[in-house]
Amino acid sequence: MIDRKIRVLHFGLSTNRGGIETYLLKLASQVDSKKFLFSFIDTNKENPCFYEELRTLGCVFFKITPRRSSITQSKRDIEELFSKHHFDIFHCHINTLSYIEPILAALRHDVKVIVHSRNAGTAGSMTTRLLHKLNSFRLPRDEIISIAVSDEAGEWLFGKGSGYEIYNNGIDLDTFRFDGAAREVVRKSLGVESSDFLVGHVGAFLPAKNQGFVLDIFIELIKKKPEAKLLFIGSGAGLDSHLSRVDSLGLSESVIFAGSRADMPQVLSAMDIFVFPSFYEGFPNAVLEAQACGLPCMISENVTSEVLVRNPCIKMSLEESPKEWAAQALALSEVSNIREKAHEDLIIAGYSVNEEIQRMQDLYISLV
């Protein structure tokens, strides 16, 4: 057994509060701090998401020149980082293979490398897609440990039958239990009446999340249920366009943009149904959290089936009209559903965060 802390360097933090960022905070918060020291590559101009929280946990940050600023300097910074500092493991959390220089640098310095596929597609530029394709041939698969959040994510990054292993995105199931008292408090703070039907969506305002379709569904739904309201949780570059559209449709009183929230368990308790029509996902924690809170969920067929654990939750095609989605939403709302017992289904399905954190710790230890 190693007689010092295992040093793990992570890559993947951005300034957006997304799935990778949430996962890394959860991992850093719950690993055994006596056994592991986490560090992070920071390629952001501003501090990344959860910077203060991670620093408080004892994590170390290494600033690297963003490749958009200078590809040459970025490569130099990465090479210098691995030359000056000793790391046992490099854990790379990525959505595409468009940028693999840190992986190659880590291997050159005899660092064990875990490549963790976090998504099942990209809406990036033509350049991003081209680099992803080219780098798929450059990635030395026999020298890395390949893991993914779902089969779709594994196939996307590594190829079908390439020997990747699935690591579930566990969550704190007790935290996300339905809370009736919190439901009323949150609804009141949002200006939602007890009798209002609240449709919810959680996600950064990025093209992949398809929030425009969520709004289309809601437009159809309020024709049948005029007292309904729509709650968007999240921020991002595309937010302004959605704000403008809601305003132009005269729906400002019915559609709530609440930004990013730290009280997600309580906010989920306030919702009545969860709509998630993404174009692609790796493994959306948001859907797991919604189910743990007992919400009926509607997700697109493009999202991995592995994320659907309990009823009443369904998949629908994006080829179906917003009117059909709205009709199904209303039908789901009528299905008998004991929200307080939902977390038991997820425990049985193996989505407890404690089990997944232990699996990751075991993987780290096995590599060292």
Side-chain angles (χ1 to χ4, degrees):
M1 181 63 182
I2 193 166
D3 60 357
R4 58 170 174 79
K5 288 186 179 182
I6 295 173
R7 299 193 62 181
V8 183
L9 176 65
H10 292 276
F11 175 78
L13 274 181
S14 74
T15 55
N16 292 324
R17 182 172 180 162
I20 293 176
E21 291 73 23
T22 302
Y23 174 81
L24 285 171
L25 177 61
K26 179 170 57 183
L27 187 61
S29 301
Q30 301 199 35
V31 295
D32 188 342
S33 60
K34 294 179 181 179
K35 295 180 180 178
F36 302 96
L37 175 63
F38 279 8
S39 301
F40 292 87
I41 289 178
D42 177 12
T43 61
N44 305 284
K45 290 185 177 180
E46 301 174 355
N47 286 337
C49 186
F50 300 127
Y51 176 76
E52 292 300 335
E53 292 90 336
L54 290 167
R55 284 192 63 188
T56 300
L57 291 168
C59 300
V60 180
F61 286 81
F62 295 99
K63 204 75 175 178
I64 298 296
T65 301
R67 54 180 169 152
R68 288 189 180 91
S69 300
S70 171
I71 293 176
T72 302
Q73 189 59 49
S74 180
K75 287 183 178 180
R76 287 174 183 162
D77 290 350
I78 290 168
E79 189 64 31
E80 184 177 354
L81 173 63
F82 283 104
S83 296
K84 286 187 174 181
H85 301 274
H86 170 73
F87 302 104
D88 297 296
I89 298 166
F90 178 52
H91 191 162
C92 188
H93 310 257
I94 52 177
N95 296 326
T96 79
L97 293 173
S98 60
Y99 183 55
I100 64 170
E101 296 310 317
I103 297 172
L104 301 179
L107 291 171
R108 283 196 299 271
H109 289 270
D110 297 321
V111 179
K112 302 291 186 181
V113 174
I114 301 170
V115 178
H116 199 159
S117 178
R118 305 289 307 181
N119 216 332
T122 179
S125 65
M126 182 63 73
T127 300
T128 296
R129 292 194 291 272
L130 178 60
L131 287 171
H132 174 82
K133 189 70 174 177
L134 291 173
N135 285 335
S136 68
F137 297 104
R138 296 178 63 211
L139 185 71
R141 288 175 173 77
D142 58 342
E143 298 179 42
I144 64 173
I145 292 84
S146 305
I147 65 176
V149 294
S150 67
D151 272 322
E152 283 87 346
E155 289 183 16
W156 157 249
L157 207 71
F158 307 116
K160 192 169 185 177
S162 55
Y164 56 83
E165 189 169 352
I166 304 298
Y167 275 67
N168 290 333
N169 278 356
I171 61 174
D172 187 339
L173 297 176
D174 284 334
T175 298
F176 285 92
R177 282 176 184 257
F178 174 74
D179 186 334
R183 171 183 172 87
E184 297 307 317
V185 171
V186 172
R187 287 170 78 97
K188 185 176 181 180
S189 71
L190 294 172
V192 178
E193 300 293 333
S194 297
S195 59
D196 291 344
F197 182 68
L198 186 59
V199 180
H201 172 84
V202 178
F205 281 86
L206 301 170
K209 299 298 183 181
N210 202 14
Q211 279 101 348
F213 194 71
V214 177
L215 185 55
D216 292 338
I217 295 167
F218 182 70
I219 291 169
E220 294 298 327
L221 192 146
I222 56 175
K223 294 176 182 177
K224 300 288 186 181
K225 218 171 182 70
E227 74 280 10
K229 288 193 168 55
L230 172 60
L231 174 61
F232 281 114
I233 302 294
S235 57
L239 175 59
D240 288 345
S241 64
H242 293 286
L243 283 167
S244 298
R245 186 182 175 205
V246 166
D247 186 57
S248 67
L249 291 168
L251 292 175
S252 297
E253 296 297 316
S254 299
V255 181
I256 304 162
F257 293 89
S260 297
R261 303 273 299 220
D263 58 341
M264 281 310 303
Q266 294 76 26
V267 172
L268 289 169
S269 289
M271 297 175 185
D272 293 305
I273 194 167
F274 191 81
V275 180
F276 201 79
S278 294
F279 288 116
Y280 56 82
E281 292 281 346
F283 190 97
N285 259 18
V287 178
L288 265 191
E289 292 166 357
Q291 289 177 93
C293 195
L295 277 170
C297 295
M298 301 177 67
I299 69 173
S300 74
E301 286 188 343
N302 299 19
V303 179
T304 175
S305 296
E306 295 164 82
V307 77
L308 287 187
V309 178
R310 68 184 303 270
N311 291 319
C313 294
I314 63 171
K315 295 182 75 171
M316 290 189 68
S317 170
L318 292 177
E319 297 297 318
E320 296 188 71
S321 69
K323 186 176 181 179
E324 290 170 309
W325 277 68
Q328 283 294 329
L330 292 174
L332 280 183
S333 70
E334 300 297 327
V335 176
S336 177
N337 179 27
I338 303 174
R339 294 184 65 173
E340 289 84 353
K341 294 185 177 181
H343 74 290
E344 296 173 5
D345 296 331
L346 276 79
I347 291 174
I348 294 170
Y351 287 108
S352 167
V353 67
N354 296 330
E355 294 179 14
E356 289 309 304
I357 297 299
Q358 187 59 54
R359 281 189 74 205
M360 191 58 69
Q361 289 188 148
D362 291 344
L363 175 59
Y364 290 157
I365 292 170
S366 72
L367 294 179
V368 177

